[in-house]
Amino acid sequence: MFKKLFYAMILLSSIALAAQQRTITGVVSDESGPLPGVTIVVKGTTNGTETDFDGKYSISATQGDVLVFSFVGMKTVEEKIKESSVINIIMKSDNLLEEVVVAAYGISKRRKSSVSKAIRIRGYNQVENKDSYAARNENIFKSPVNFPLSTFSIDVDKASYSNIRRMINSGQKIPKEAVKVEEMINYFDYNYPQPKGKHPFSINTEVVTTPWNKDTQLVRIGLKGKEYKQENLPASNLTFLIDVSGSMSGQNKLPLLKSAFKLLVNQLREKDKVGIVVYAGAAGVVLKPTSGNEKETILEALNQLEAGGSTAGGEGIELAYKLAKENYIKDGNNRVILATDGDFNVGASSNTEMEELIEEKRKSGVFLSVLGFGYGNYQDDKLEILADKGNGNHAYIDTMQEAQKVFGKEFGGTLYTIAKDVKIQVEFNPKKVQAYRLIGYENRLLNDEDFVDDTKDAGELGSGHTVTALYEVIPVGVKSKFLKKLPKLKYTQNKQLDSFNDELLTVKFRYKLPKGTKSIELVKIVKNEVLAPTNDMNFISAVALFGMQLSKSKFKNNSKIEDVLSLIEGEIGEDKGGYKAEFFRLVKTYN
């Protein structure tokens, strides 16, 4: 009887507590309009959310709770929940800049009342923009008679899209070098089937009429990596390599970084272990490898980190790989996770030096993930090299929402490689194709002979990751301003082409297993058959076209933003997390 009464009291208490909970909604703005990306947290808890592109938010809380609204460059606002379930907030600029005084691994700050030479753009205080991106020469149309093969490494990086999204939301001008169409396309999930059989990925193709040029065709080649449940992933030996130099002192850098890593720590299992290496003017170990069930110890080490000093990135990389190698787990997931804005300025720091260093460290069997933070001094070109040459991936984290996507939704793909050195080679049928161009992947092109050379490094595919590549094709018989007159060739043999009349192209894939040294090859023939586009193809085309417009591509064919929107105004297919709907709002915002 007593037990029944006890449980009844607990149930009534739970019901009463639930009854107090309600949904609080509202809009956060500044003097120039709605603010996207504002962080809202119930004070004293980990319950939080962010405003969307229209400045709107929704959060569960109880009467009496205090909501804390924070945003880079704005004064933090605290608002107590009373009877109303709608709380609208107008944030004001924080006109106080911080003068940073460096002292070892710590940092002291003195307030300055001057904001001279600061330019405010929708909440961002920006003194001088030193963001750095690698130059990219857009791929042009090539004839399959002169260039029968197109060869490139896959790219699962997604940093370009989240960085562009941040720039659009803050009203910044987008440098065309920052636009990597392949990374924009690969940010999203598509309806690719799970692989069946022995290979770790499925292959998917589609041919449609190009939405922005009715005289050409658009060919999609998509890969879907096999998904593994978290409990089935091998034990992880993770080394967090964290930049705590003075350049990381901004609210959108080290504070955001620490919050992002906490999401990862909360998912660790007992068999996983984490070590933490930091670097500023020098590098040091602040946490020796610790079991994933000692979360409080790991979180406390993260909480103690402060920013200050110059940036000895090379020394940090050396120490992180040394720690990872000393604690190497055979048949496990051994990975360094580097988090930085990329501003290396002590010791080995140039792009060439970084490339040589990371290529040497790659031989250890330790993989690399690179996470970019911040703006105004974001070295995208350097971080791209590190991820590319370090058997890894590169993401850009601008909000906790993006951190949740990288470390929550895509936990396995971010950390666990299922295939490495994945290369694609396409051979076009000159009987059907006058010319072709690969859209994006300019920094991932390979020599044709590299395809069969197992010593040549290429991209890695993680658990559940998707990779998509697009080719624009000019069919035989179509006149185009992009076609150039070619010299006649003496030795080209076309006698056997009649037997391939129904083929548009042949695509080959080569990959190695994570511990393998010899490549495995797959071949898929794509028929010369143009079909109505799927929802996924419409969306992929829209993302590609938007990227071409942002980068001022000469192949965008006078298209406008309205043409992008028209491709996704209808059914966009499955949209877990709402990222595709977010893209639609982003394009409208840019317009």
Side-chain angles (χ1 to χ4, degrees), residues 311-315 317 342-355 357 379 381-383 385-386:
T311 316
E315 186 177 340
I317 291 172
D343 183 22
F344 301 166
N345 53 35
V346 173
S349 59
S350 71
N351 287 0
T352 300
E353 289 172 323
M354 286 291 101
E355 182 172 344
L357 174 61
Q379 308 294 299
D381 53 345
K382 189 176 273 83
L383 300 188
I385 289 172
L386 290 172

Side-chain angles (χ1 to χ4, degrees), residues 134-155:
R136 300 166 70 87
N137 295 316
E138 185 177 27
N139 293 325
I140 62 173
F141 279 102
K142 294 183 176 181
S143 165
V145 175
N146 292 63
F147 304 95
L149 299 175
S150 172
T151 310
F152 63 99
S153 162
I154 67 161
D155 185 3

Side-chain angles (χ1 to χ4, degrees), residues 221-508:
I221 300 169
L223 304 181
K224 168 71 173 181
K226 185 176 181 180
E227 291 184 10
Y228 292 86
K229 293 183 179 179
Q230 184 176 340
E231 58 268 24
N232 296 331
L233 294 176
S236 290
N237 164 37
L238 305 177
T239 303
F240 296 170
L241 175 56
I242 299 176
D243 182 352
V244 294
S245 64
S247 69
M248 293 293 290
S249 61
Q251 186 65 29
N252 64 330
K253 294 187 179 182
L254 188 58
L256 175 60
L257 182 159
K258 293 195 289 187
S259 297
F261 271 90
K262 290 174 184 178
L263 293 174
L264 173 56
V265 172
N266 287 332
Q267 298 185 74
L268 296 176
R269 305 155 299 180
E270 182 176 358
K271 64 181 179 180
D272 302 324
K273 55 185 178 182
V274 168
I276 301 178
V277 173
V278 299
Y279 64 92
V285 177
V286 299
L287 181 71
K288 293 182 179 179
T290 302
S291 171
N293 66 345
E294 298 182 46
K295 291 180 174 56
E296 289 186 7
T297 302
I298 302 171
L299 293 175
E300 181 61 23
L302 285 170
N303 286 332
Q304 294 299 318
L305 299 181
E306 293 184 342
S310 51
T311 316
E315 186 177 340
I317 291 172
E318 293 273 10
L319 184 56
Y321 271 88
K322 180 176 182 291
L323 188 66
K325 189 63 178 174
E326 288 174 351
N327 297 274
Y328 194 88
I329 299 176
K330 186 179 179 181
D331 298 324
N333 173 35
N334 300 278
R335 183 174 294 268
V336 170
I337 303 177
L338 168 61
T340 178
D341 59 4
D343 183 22
F344 301 166
N345 53 35
V346 173
S349 59
S350 71
N351 287 0
T352 300
E353 289 172 323
M354 286 291 101
E355 182 172 344
E356 292 174 351
L357 174 61
I358 212 68
E359 284 181 337
E360 176 64 29
K361 297 304 175 186
R362 185 177 66 211
K363 299 174 184 177
S364 67
V366 176
F367 289 76
L368 177 71
S369 290
V370 180
L371 305 178
F373 287 84
Y375 55 88
N377 199 29
Y378 170 54
Q379 308 294 299
D380 178 86
D381 53 345
K382 189 176 273 83
L383 300 188
E384 181 181 22
I385 289 172
L386 290 172
D388 183 17
K389 303 301 180 182
N391 279 348
N393 42 57
H394 174 204
Y396 176 81
I397 296 180
D398 57 333
T399 64
M400 280 301 292
Q401 181 182 9
E402 186 64 20
Q404 179 61 44
K405 183 176 187 292
V406 173
F407 281 145
K409 178 177 176 289
E410 300 174 352
F411 176 81
T414 301
L415 297 182
Y416 181 50
T417 297
I418 62 173
K420 67 179 182 180
D421 293 339
V422 184
K423 307 169 188 174
I424 297 178
Q425 186 169 79
V426 181
E427 181 179 358
F428 292 88
N429 182 357
K431 191 87 172 182
K432 301 296 179 182
V433 177
Q434 278 194 95
Y436 65 86
R437 73 178 185 97
L438 175 62
I439 300 177
Y441 291 93
E442 287 88 357
N443 289 1
R444 298 283 181 151
L445 300 179
L446 297 173
N447 295 324
D448 292 338
E449 60 270 23
D450 292 342
F451 183 70
V452 293
D453 184 349
D454 283 350
T455 66
K456 292 294 182 180
D457 180 58
E460 280 62 53
L461 187 68
S463 169
H465 270 165
T466 60
V467 177
T468 300
L470 292 178
Y471 280 94
E472 186 174 3
V473 170
I474 302 176
V476 167
V478 172
K479 292 183 179 180
S480 172
K481 62 181 180 181
F482 299 118
L483 289 173
K484 306 296 183 183
K485 188 174 182 179
L486 297 171
K488 292 183 179 181
L489 300 179
K490 180 178 180 181
Y491 300 109
T492 301
Q493 299 294 317
N494 292 321
K495 296 178 181 178
Q496 305 299 320
L497 285 179
D498 287 342
S499 61
F500 304 121
N501 268 341
D502 61 340
E503 295 181 12
L504 184 69
L505 58 90
T506 297
V507 56
K508 298 178 182 179

Side-chain angles (χ1 to χ4, degrees), residues 4 37 74 87 109 124 135 215 239 253 259-260 346 364 388 420-421 456 500 518 527 555 563 586:
K4 290 183 178 179
M74 311 296 283
I87 299 178
K109 300 172 183 176
Y124 290 85
D215 293 330
T239 303
K253 294 187 179 182
S259 297
V346 173
S364 67
D388 183 17
K420 67 179 182 180
D421 293 339
K456 292 294 182 180
F500 304 121
K518 188 175 181 180
K527 299 295 184 180
F555 302 112
D563 298 314
L586 186 74

Side-chain angles (χ1 to χ4, degrees), residues 161 179-193 203-212 217-224 437-441 466-472 532-549 559 563-575 579-581 583-584 587:
Y161 177 76
V179 181
K180 306 171 191 174
V181 177
E182 70 278 8
E183 292 188 16
M184 294 178 67
I185 291 172
N186 288 327
Y187 183 87
F188 303 93
D189 289 331
Y190 304 111
N191 190 29
Y192 296 154
I203 300 169
N204 309 272
T205 59
E206 186 174 3
V207 183
V208 302
T209 300
T210 306
W212 58 85
Q217 296 169 0
L218 202 59
V219 180
R220 170 168 64 118
I221 300 169
L223 304 181
K224 168 71 173 181
R437 73 178 185 97
L438 175 62
I439 300 177
Y441 291 93
T466 60
V467 177
T468 300
L470 292 178
Y471 280 94
E472 186 174 3
T534 60
N535 290 331
D536 271 354
M537 190 60 168
N538 277 333
F539 186 84
I540 291 168
S541 300
V543 177
L545 181 56
F546 187 50
M548 289 162 57
Q549 292 173 348
S559 62
D563 298 314
V564 177
L565 294 172
S566 67
L567 286 166
I568 48 178
E569 281 178 333
E571 178 61 44
I572 59 176
E574 188 176 7
D575 188 21
Y579 297 107
K580 293 179 180 178
F583 172 76
F584 182 73
V587 176

